[in-house]
Amino acid sequence: MTPGSAAGSPAPAARARRRVRLIGIGPGGPEDLTVAAATALGGLDVVLVADKDRGVEDLTALRTELCRRYGRADLRVIEVPDPPRDRAPATDAAYDTAVADWHAARAERYAAVLRDELADGQTAGFLVWGDPALYDSTIRIVERIAAAGTVQIDYDVLPGVSAVSMLAARHKLVLNRIGRAVTITTGRRLAAHVADGHDDLVVMLDGHLACAELTGDWDIWWGANLGTADEQLVAGELGAVLPAVRAARDRARAARGWVMDTYLLRRR
Ligand SMILES: C[S@@+](CC[C@H](N)C(=O)[O-])C[C@H]1O[C@@H](n2cnc3c(N)ncnc32)[C@H](O)[C@@H]1O
């Protein structure tokens, strides 16, 4: 029994809370989420979706399919329009400020929806691409909602299969060499990490194949649109397989209208 409450009835503070679940849904396939994630999806009253996803119909289609497969018949999907964002700030500091402002504005919008669209005790879910712990801001945004206090929430995080795990599995890879480190970074930061002596790197968020600029002897294990029916895999010595990577990128984009790729680079 909750201290101070009558037997069988929750304390008022507990009643006023909404539950929020951040559910990792894997990198693209409707079967690449965990049993725990599927079960959690079945317990949701509401799914919150950012309207930025509308531009990429395939991504929306996956979320719809997951809701159909694992969600309740009365599951509500609420689209929350994304606030505008400065996508071309001049400096790194301006970039950080722009992202922080954008997160704050998104948190306010989600808080308003949680407060106004959910009844006390109901559960809302964010379906997070891959794993919420990797290059995703949903955890930070939900932390802000909890801290702002305009709506009382309890939240938890369910891990998902990240694009990195899927890449490793498809290539039957161990990401680290025995007893060594592996760096996970972005295309934008790749050159700086290589200059710092990092020899085993997983690269994400790289729209321009930053690895094409590297000098030295490298092997690459590359994958795009992993988990979808049109996933692409290429592996080999970097210089030799770059044309194949570019061609596979084009095939992935042509097949689905989008391409997302992840790769491991290892210096020989
Ligand atoms: C914003 S991050 C999200 C990462 C995600 N949270 C995860 O755990 O995979 C987006 C990047 O993840 C990678 N990615 C996501 N889905 C992918 C997929 N199906 N195949 C290959 N890479 C993918 C790409 O590097 C893409 O630029």
Side-chain angles (χ1 to χ4, degrees):
M1 190 172 106
T2 314
S5 69
S9 67
R15 270 206 312 271
R17 283 176 178 271
R18 279 87 165 125
R19 187 171 189 211
V20 176
R21 313 204 76 183
L22 285 68
I23 304 174
I25 59 169
E31 304 201 335
D32 294 328
L33 69 173
T34 67
V35 175
T39 306
L41 233 158
L44 299 182
D45 299 291
V46 168
V47 169
L48 297 179
V49 177
D51 77 344
K52 69 174 176 182
D53 297 343
R54 267 195 225 148
V56 189
E57 281 176 15
D58 218 16
L59 309 192
T60 310
L62 174 65
R63 288 200 172 97
T64 307
E65 172 63 11
L66 295 179
C67 292
R68 191 191 64 75
R69 280 197 194 195
Y70 306 114
R72 295 200 317 247
D74 62 348
L75 175 63
R76 280 196 299 152
V77 177
I78 300 181
E79 284 177 6
V80 184
D82 253 352
R85 171 181 175 186
D86 178 1
R87 292 201 171 265
T91 62
D92 279 354
Y95 176 85
D96 290 348
T97 308
V99 170
D101 290 350
W102 188 60
H103 285 177
R106 291 181 79 191
E108 259 177 46
R109 289 186 181 197
Y110 286 126
V113 172
L114 290 168
R115 189 186 57 229
D116 300 339
E117 299 284 341
L118 269 81
D120 291 345
Q122 283 198 315
T123 303
F126 290 91
L127 306 190
V128 181
W129 198 255
D131 183 355
L134 202 55
Y135 291 113
D136 186 275
S137 48
T138 313
I139 293 177
R140 293 191 190 101
I141 289 168
V142 173
E143 274 172 357
R144 280 178 182 269
I145 295 172
T150 54
V151 58
Q152 300 295 310
I153 61 166
D154 294 310
Y155 67 95
D156 64 354
V157 178
L158 286 94
V161 175
S162 71
V164 179
S165 319
M166 191 60 90
L167 176 83
R170 290 295 195 253
H171 283 290
K172 306 183 180 88
L173 274 176
V174 179
L175 294 173
N176 61 288
R177 283 183 262 197
I178 294 173
R180 298 203 16 198
V182 61
T183 302
I184 301 179
T185 189
T186 61
R188 197 159 157 252
R189 302 284 309 152
L190 175 63
H193 288 304
V194 167
D196 284 347
H198 298 228
D199 287 342
D200 298 81
L201 307 106
V202 173
V203 183
M204 307 178 79
L205 290 161
D206 181 8
H208 306 287
L209 280 180
C211 59
E213 308 299 321
L214 294 182
T215 54
D217 293 330
W218 296 87
D219 287 316
I220 185 170
W221 291 262
W222 175 92
N225 297 14
L226 296 159
T228 72
D230 301 289
E231 79 176 17
Q232 307 286 327
L233 300 171
V234 175
E237 193 270 317
L238 178 62
V241 300
L242 263 177
V245 168
R246 290 205 167 93
R249 259 186 135 252
D250 291 346
R251 277 200 302 279
R253 193 191 302 281
R256 304 200 84 84
W258 57 275
V259 60
M260 285 201 283
D261 54 352
T262 300
Y263 52 91
L264 172 72
L265 284 173
R266 178 168 291 165
R267 197 191 283 275
R268 287 190 169 188

